[in-house]
């Protein structure tokens, strides 16, 4: 499954600190969309790190909601944590001067 991350607002609203701000996000599966959840939310950056706030709709209607409550919410949280970890890695890597190892 390929994810289709779609910024809800392509702009970044930045507060006084250049490392603080909010980015609206959303994603859905690029293929077989009815089989995967849909997410709408925002990434919040502040002095303590990144947070993902949002809601998602599990696939499968009412039955999907029951299955999500029993099990799938665990995978959704793990996916969100993985996503934020990768995002932090990319931000840190892109902030290093060219040619530096760390």
């Amino acid at each position: 499954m390929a994810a289709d991350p779609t910024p809800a607002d392509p702009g970044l609203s930045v507060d006084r600190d250049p490392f603080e701000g909010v980015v609206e996000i959303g994603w859905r599966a690029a293929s077989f969309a009815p089989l995967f959840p849909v997410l709408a939310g925002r990434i919040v950056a502040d002095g303590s790190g990144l947070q993902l706030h949002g809601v998602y709709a599990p696939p499968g209607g009412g039955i999907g909601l029951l299955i999500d409550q029993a099990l799938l919410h665990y995978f959704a949280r793990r996916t969100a944590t993985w996503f934020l970890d990768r995002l932090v890695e990319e931000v840190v890597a892109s902030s290093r001067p060219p040619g530096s190892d760390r």
Side-chain angles (χ1 to χ4, degrees):
M1 171 191 84
D4 181 16
T6 307
D9 177 2
L12 171 65
S13 68
V14 178
D15 298 325
R16 292 183 188 138
D17 185 333
F19 295 104
E20 293 183 356
V22 176
V23 176
E24 299 291 327
I25 64 163
W27 68 67
R28 62 179 171 74
S31 59
F32 303 107
L35 301 176
F36 298 97
V38 175
L39 174 100
R42 64 185 193 261
I43 297 174
V44 178
D46 60 24
S48 65
L50 295 179
Q51 299 174 12
L52 175 61
H53 299 274
V55 294
Y56 76 105
I63 292 173
L65 185 58
L66 291 173
I67 295 170
D68 179 70
Q69 290 173 347
L71 177 67
L72 295 180
H73 69 278
Y74 169 79
F75 295 106
R77 285 190 172 275
R78 298 272 310 191
T79 300
T81 300
W82 172 86
F83 174 75
L84 285 178
D85 288 346
R86 298 299 82 70
L87 182 59
V88 168
E89 287 176 5
E90 290 297 320
V91 169
V92 169
S94 68
S95 67
R96 292 186 187 124
S100 69
D101 290 338
R102 291 204 174 237

